[in-house]
Amino acid sequence: MSKKAKLIIDNKDYEFPILGGSVGPDVVDISKLYSSTGNFTFDPGFTSTASCESSITYIDGEKGECFYRGYPMDELANKSSFLEVAYLLWNGELPTKEEWFEYSEAIKTHTMVHEQMKKFFDGFRRGSHPMAILTSVVAALSAFYPDSIDVNDLQQRQISARRMIAKVPTLAAMAYKYSIGQPFIYPDNSLDYTENFLQMVFAVPAEKYKVNKVFAKALDKIFILHADHEQNASTSTVRLAASSGVNPFASISTGFTSLWGPLHGGANEAALNMLLEIGDVKKIPEYIKRAKDKDDPFKLMGFGHRVYKNYDPRAKVMQKTCHEVLEEVGKKDDKILQVAIELEKIALQDEYFVEKKLYPNIDFYSGITLNAMGFPSTMFTALFAVARTAGWIAHWKEMYLDTKNRIGRPRQLYMGEKPRPFTELKDRN
Ligand code: CMC
């Protein structure tokens, strides 16, 4: 017998179906709540609301586990590649050898951007934050590729998605190069996806560039860890924007915008800045005290998560990767790493953090790692965005295939003025 939830309003009983997913908590289907009761639900921040059905990523927040299409994310991080994960997220299954060849070659055919796009960059002030540039140039892709913006055409959906996977790294590297006044470096399709990105960011025309294999492997892992994460703020933003039927590039650009915030993808930059500001293990107690003080807006950046009430599995892989990269650059005893390790140790024993189940999240160690590889902190969120593009496009496609999909339109609890008469300016004091 199917389960039902009973709701009593003004002594009247209402029943709502309870739906079960393949794993995870059941959900009460309240889609008929308003039509049957005249009430809405109130859930700021969507803490208890499933906004859609999804088959892409599953997080078990209590256990601290994350799965992409059923595969443990940490296993993918250690054994797969980012591009294969992007394929998996989009298609639902791992590629056969033949499918892999077709996909990886197709991505390579799209790595360059339209030459005219360079002029677009010229409009930005030098020194602009790479995310300020990226949020705009990704949306501008719709002006350059008008042949793939019809969201109702399956073929165009696929081409635009592949274009984004291929071009976002090129645009992210260009945004960086522009911000530091160096010439753009074209993609090199003889390199793999992540190696190519590294060369577009770090190569200069005056010198031969050799990809550091340890960095390439570490960055590829970091991309996998960031590729998707259920209905987070940026993914939900993409879904909401796309629900209006707007073109793919415009939809995905909203993900970049939402990701940029310090509580989301901007936390890696903020976490490194915080560790640098602490600077010395002796100062940790002072910052722990501040993080616990309700009157102080300071939070431990890289700590806490809406879903994980256990150690973030991404942080575990990240911590190991951090050690590998620091060893490669001869900074095993890096002072900032020592601050991070000690801060984590103290916080994990502190009653406040234990009680609230606040653990290090992916951003806690990613800043130190990326910094050691030579990325400035202003590029951290852009790197996150390169990876999350794979998740955004997968959710975007899933939304279009969902027959239950309707334009997103939340309700509100209105607390403003009741209807009142308007007085013309001439009759006012
Ligand atoms: N430092 C100190 N206290 C914290 C922290 C923190 N980092 N995170 C949460 N708390 C406290 C918070 O003040 C609240 O206390 P109380 O119940 O007394 O009011 C309680 O813990 C619950 O926190 P919340 O803010 O209600 O939780 P949330 O689910 O709304 O927010 C979060 C989750 C990630 C935004 C938040 O933990 C945070 O701001 N962390 C720091 C920023 C950060 O590291 N963000 C990266 C998230 S992971 C990458 C990504 O997915 O983008």
Side-chain angles (χ1 to χ4, degrees), residues 47 229 232 259 262-267 291-292 294 298-307 309 312 314 352-353 356 358 361-363 384 388:
T47 54
H229 218 220
N232 54 84
L259 187 76
L263 298 187
H264 192 7
K292 298 192 299 188
K294 280 266 153 262
F298 174 77
K299 279 186 178 183
L300 273 196
M301 298 314 282
F303 252 77
H305 197 273
R306 172 65 59 78
V307 185
K309 298 303 162 203
D312 180 340
R314 305 170 300 172
Y352 173 94
F353 292 88
K356 294 187 190 301
L358 299 170
N361 59 49
I362 188 167
D363 295 319
F384 191 155
R388 190 53 63 87

Side-chain angles (χ1 to χ4, degrees), residues 46 51-52 135 229-261 264 388 391-393 395-396 399-400 407-408 410:
F46 304 108
S51 59
C52 60
T135 46
H229 218 220
E230 282 189 359
Q231 311 308 320
N232 54 84
S234 57
T235 303
S236 301
T237 305
V238 167
R239 279 185 180 258
L240 192 57
S243 74
S244 74
V246 70
N247 76 69
F249 303 107
S251 301
I252 301 299
S253 75
T254 67
F256 283 79
T257 314
S258 168
L259 187 76
W260 194 5
H264 192 7
R388 190 53 63 87
W392 291 329
I393 57 165
H395 283 270
W396 172 78
M399 197 202 74
Y400 274 108
I407 187 165

Side-chain angles (χ1 to χ4, degrees), residues 3 28 38 44 48 51 60 65 117 119 187 196 292 335 425:
K3 287 204 272 180
V28 181
S48 307
S51 59
D60 187 327
E65 292 174 344
M117 194 112 205
K119 297 218 167 72
N196 175 43
K292 298 192 299 188
K335 206 172 165 198
L425 186 57

Side-chain angles (χ1 to χ4, degrees), residues 23 68 124 356 372:
V23 265
Y68 293 160
F124 290 98
K356 294 187 190 301

Side-chain angles (χ1 to χ4, degrees), residues 366-407:
S366 64
I368 309 175
T369 317
L370 296 170
N371 189 249
M373 286 165 69
F375 287 104
S377 59
T378 50
M379 271 300 279
F380 295 173
T381 314
L383 294 166
F384 191 155
V386 168
R388 190 53 63 87
T389 299
W392 291 329
I393 57 165
H395 283 270
W396 172 78
K397 173 191 177 191
E398 182 175 67
M399 197 202 74
Y400 274 108
L401 293 178
D402 185 353
T403 51
K404 287 195 264 323
N405 176 48
R406 300 168 74 185
I407 187 165

